[in-house]
Each structure stands twice: as structure tokens, then as C-alpha cells.
Amino acid sequence: MPFVTTPDGVEIYYTEQGTGQPVVFSHGWPLSSDAWQVELKKFADAGYRAIAHDRRGHGRSEKTYSGNDMDTYCRDLNAVVEALDLRDIILIGHSTGGGEVVRYAAQYGQPQGRVAKVVTAGAVPPIMVKSDANPDGLPIEVFDGIRAGVLSDASQFWKDLSESFFGANHGRDVSQGAKDDFWRQGMLVNLAAAYDCVKAFSETDFTEDLKALTVPILICQGDDDQIVPIKDAALKSIKLVKDGTLKVYEGAPHGIQGDYQQKLDADILEWIKN
């Protein structure tokens, strides 16, 4: 299997398909590059070099106890990009991965001249947790509850979370297979990495990263996202970027699945061509 070694010695797994302009996908928590299997084929079929990596501690990457924070995730992504010498990159990130690609683009990709465009879907920026500076955010108790669930019975927690992740609890048609695959990917993540990543996706402030972006960004989100509320995410992020396009999907959940996935992929392919 292909791996890249980060500056601090961690083995990061990646997969790629196709040739052409590179499209780099960054997955959400607690998933892996497997979450992008459909997109890897679709984008490769469309003439792109589609690449996805497993974040440290997730999937087939090294099971890490340390470095499970957003700055380190971005350094890891930079290690992959440099090892493959990628240029003119389209960055696509979902959920936690949306935060990762925004920070990577602002702090690495743009200064190095490597990034052409950014796409986020259900992404965590600007910041999720409630504070005096972010009174509309989710209370810290929400994230404490997630940590407690991961620590006490991760297997059952992933099963329960799949219901709201894909919107099955709101009546969306979600197969048992999709829920099972969410559970499978969740069970691959190292417990320490899963636990620490909650702080990374909920407490990292991406405000300045969004403001620093000069490349075009497509910000996508479902208006029935139960994991990352759209009013605290896409609707705020679009006001902070210089060259942004907002796409809201009526009734769509957090998880990229079903008709939402089909529409989202088609819209992204169309947007990056223009």
C-alpha cells in the first residue's frame, strides 16, 4: 500500500486513481479515504487524478496518540502533497476535512502556489463551539458528550451516530449497508485519535484562514445537517471569503449519500470546470 512519511515519522496512507489535474479529497471524522470511493472513480472517469488520504490515526494510517490536532493534520497533508509533487490542486474536504483543506490552502497551498480551487461540504469552519466570541455555536457539553460516547462504547456510538449523520432519523432513505460502512470506518480509527479529533474539529477557529483565501471556494451544505448546523458553518463562512460560491441542498444531511451525493458530485465537477 502507498504511504508517505510525515516529518515526525508518522505513516500516512493514500490512494489515487486516474490522471490529469489533481483533485485531493479530505475525509470527515471518524472516517477514512474509503468515504470517497465513489468520488475517486467519478473524478478519475472525468479526467482528473483523484487522491485521498487517511488522516493520522484513521483508516490505514498509523495509529497515533499525539498530533491529533488541525495544525498537524495540515502538515501531514502538506507532506502528501510534497511527496507526490502536486500542483494546480483542487482541494475537496468534508466536515473535519473541510476545515483541513481550508487551513492547508491558506497556510501552505496558496503560499506555495499549489492550489487552484477549494470545495467544502458540510465543513466545520469557521468554528463550531460556543463562546463569548461565537455565541451562536454549540455548547461545549455537546462535544463533551461525543467524547464520552467514544470513550465508553465506541462501537455502539458509531452505530447510533450513523442515523443522524445520514439523516435516517429524519426519514431519509438510507441503506443498512451505508450505516454499516460508517460503523466499519469508525472502528478503524484509533480511540485516542478519535477522542482528540473532537477538540480539533469543534474548537479550531478557521476565521482567519477563510479570510486569507484568495483562490475560488465552493461552499456546499445541506440545510438538514444535524452534525454541523448550517447557520454556524456555511452561512457564516461564505461571508468571510473573498471569492466564494454558496450551494445549499434542501433537505440534505451531513453525510454524503444517495441523491445528495449525486447532486453534490455533479455540481462540484461542473464548478471546477468553469
Side-chain angles (χ1 to χ4, degrees):
M1 291 191 292
F3 289 89
V4 167
T5 303
T6 68
D8 63 342
V10 173
E11 295 290 297
I12 300 294
Y13 169 85
Y14 72 93
T15 182
E16 62 175 309
Q17 298 178 22
T19 58
Q21 183 180 10
V23 179
V24 177
F25 297 90
S26 183
H27 63 81
W29 176 90
L31 305 174
S32 69
S33 59
D34 286 352
W36 294 114
Q37 283 295 314
V38 171
E39 285 71 26
L40 287 168
K41 173 172 170 46
K42 280 186 178 180
F43 282 71
D45 288 349
Y48 295 96
R49 182 184 179 188
I51 302 162
H53 69 293
D54 292 353
R55 191 168 296 117
R56 67 166 57 205
H58 297 64
R60 285 141 293 200
S61 288
E62 189 170 333
K63 306 304 181 189
T64 50
Y65 174 71
S66 61
N68 303 300
D69 59 83
M70 195 58 64
D71 287 337
T72 306
Y73 295 157
C74 291
R75 285 196 292 271
D76 293 348
L77 177 55
N78 189 57
V80 174
V81 168
E82 290 189 338
L84 300 180
D85 194 24
L86 304 177
R87 300 181 186 279
D88 197 28
I89 306 167
I90 307 294
L91 290 168
I92 301 178
H94 172 239
S95 194
T96 301
E100 181 178 283
V101 299
V102 163
R103 175 153 293 185
Y104 167 79
Q107 299 189 13
Y108 292 89
Q110 283 186 168
Q112 297 172 359
R114 292 183 182 268
V115 175
K117 292 182 178 181
V118 179
V119 180
T120 63
V124 296
I127 184 170
M128 289 189 70
V129 73
K130 182 178 181 178
S131 66
D132 290 343
N134 185 42
D136 297 327
L138 294 171
I140 189 67
E141 289 79 13
V142 171
F143 304 106
D144 289 341
I146 294 172
R147 280 183 277 261
V150 168
L151 198 58
S152 64
D153 188 347
S155 180
Q156 187 60 51
F157 184 78
W158 304 138
K159 289 185 176 183
D160 294 342
L161 183 60
S162 71
E163 297 291 326
S164 56
F165 187 88
F166 291 120
N169 61 332
H170 282 190
R172 283 185 62 85
D173 183 15
V174 183
S175 71
Q176 188 60 48
K179 298 175 189 177
D180 289 347
D181 196 48
F182 180 91
W183 173 86
R184 178 189 67 83
Q185 291 182 62
M187 291 303 291
L188 290 174
V189 67
N190 184 47
L191 188 64
Y195 188 95
D196 289 349
C197 188
V198 177
K199 181 180 179 68
F201 72 65
S202 64
E203 297 184 39
T204 303
D205 190 344
F206 299 95
T207 300
E208 295 306 314
D209 300 305
L210 290 164
K211 290 179 179 179
L213 288 181
T214 56
V215 297
I217 180 170
L218 174 63
I219 300 174
C220 305
Q221 191 162 12
D223 65 5
D224 193 30
D225 190 328
Q226 301 171 67
I227 309 300
V228 180
I230 189 171
K231 66 180 179 65
D232 297 327
L235 300 187
K236 287 186 176 180
S237 291
I238 193 63
K239 298 177 182 179
L240 296 170
V241 297
K242 296 179 176 68
D243 186 3
T245 300
L246 175 66
K247 182 72 175 180
V248 178
Y249 294 83
E250 184 178 356
H254 186 66
I256 301 173
Q257 180 268 344
D259 60 339
Y260 171 43
Q261 184 175 38
Q262 294 175 16
K263 294 174 184 176
L264 177 66
D265 290 347
D267 287 344
I268 294 174
L269 283 166
E270 181 64 27
W271 183 79
I272 62 178
K273 283 192 303 183
N274 296 328

